[in-house]
Amino acid sequence: AAGVIQSPRHLIKEKRETATLKCYPIPRHDTVYWYQQGPGQDPQFLISFYEKMQSDKGSIPDRFSAQQFSDYHSELNMSSLELGDSALYFCASSRRDRANEIYGYTFGSGTRLTVV
Amino acid sequence: AQSVTQLDSQVPVFEEAPVELRCNYSSSVSVYLFWYVQYPNQGLQLLLKYLSGSTLVKGINGFEAEFNKSQTSFHLRKPSVHISDTAEYFCAVTRLTNTGNQFYFGTGTSLTVIP
């Protein structure tokens, strides 16, 4: 079965550079979520999109932005990177049925960002 | 608001011994509960989930968990562990509604299986 695809798998950037992470949800999933997991930490929710609109916002820094495109893939844009941004970034996707219940919540394998 | 507490940050256990990883949650509304496993340098893999129905949930790799509403617990158990079970285990809670569908994770329990 198709899973949530994240690219790239690994990314190394220097301080103050920008990075773009991509997430391709499971087909027919309409919602995308982004999580950040720092070294030795639990995953923390950043932001989510439903039908290309921001639906929920967590602890996402102002230097980060994200969007969901017409094909439902999402991109997380990170600017002015700091050493503390080094983390594993997970994307998850789900779909909402007619009763607004959430189904099929699935995590991707993550993108490991290292800022040097 | 929902939250998850994993009471043990590290659990060492000998191979073929039983193990229990504890998870307690707090929420003012009905929630759904999950256990994920994360192997070193890898992503989150779903072990099992409780959405409704039987409170005893069986997952992959021989793991099971029991939802206890009165004790607000969702402890993970395995009767006999293998070396390959060495990993980080996260308990998570969510409401799975259109207004509350982000996951809240516990701080994780590092399971180390000793040969």
Side-chain angles (χ1 to χ4, degrees), chain B residues 40-105:
Chain B
N41 299 313
Q42 294 192 25
L44 296 170
Q45 181 179 0
L46 179 66
L47 271 180
L48 48 79
K49 59 186 175 185
Y50 173 77
L51 303 182
S52 65
S54 173
T55 57
L56 182 62
V57 181
K58 294 189 182 297
I60 62 171
N61 301 341
F63 284 94
E64 63 180 34
E66 185 157 18
F67 170 63
N68 189 319
K69 188 174 182 178
S70 63
Q71 296 185 6
T72 59
S73 68
F74 191 55
H75 300 331
L76 181 70
R77 302 185 183 100
K78 186 169 182 177
S80 175
V81 295
H82 301 135
I83 296 291
S84 58
D85 293 324
T86 294
E88 191 80 16
Y89 291 79
F90 291 97
C91 183
V93 64
T94 185
R95 287 176 57 196
L96 288 182
T97 68
N98 62 323
T99 56
N101 51 35
Q102 62 171 280
F103 273 57
Y104 296 88
F105 289 87

Side-chain angles (χ1 to χ4, degrees), chain A residues 33 35 37 42 45 96 105, chain B residues 38 90 98 101-103 106:
Chain A
Y33 316 77
Y35 291 80
Q37 184 183 24
D42 55 294
F45 172 72
R96 193 181 294 187
Y105 208 119
Chain B
Q38 186 175 35
F90 291 97
N98 62 323
N101 51 35
Q102 62 171 280
F103 273 57

Side-chain angles (χ1 to χ4, degrees), chain A residues 28-95:
Chain A
R28 292 184 295 281
H29 279 198
D30 49 31
T31 307
V32 171
Y33 316 77
W34 287 98
Y35 291 80
Q36 177 192 56
Q37 184 183 24
Q41 304 293 315
D42 55 294
Q44 295 290 321
F45 172 72
L46 293 178
I47 195 167
S48 64
F49 292 86
Y50 167 66
E51 286 290 347
K52 293 152 278 185
M53 299 286 287
Q54 180 181 311
S55 61
D56 203 358
K57 193 172 182 180
S59 54
I60 184 169
D62 292 340
R63 297 177 290 107
F64 294 5
S65 65
Q67 58 181 323
Q68 186 179 29
F69 295 84
S70 57
D71 63 351
Y72 295 98
H73 93 272
S74 177
E75 294 183 4
L76 178 66
N77 299 294
M78 311 158 72
S79 62
S80 302
L81 287 169
E82 302 173 356
L83 296 179
D85 295 328
S86 295
L88 188 58
Y89 290 83
F90 287 108
C91 172
S93 75
S94 69
R95 66 178 178 87

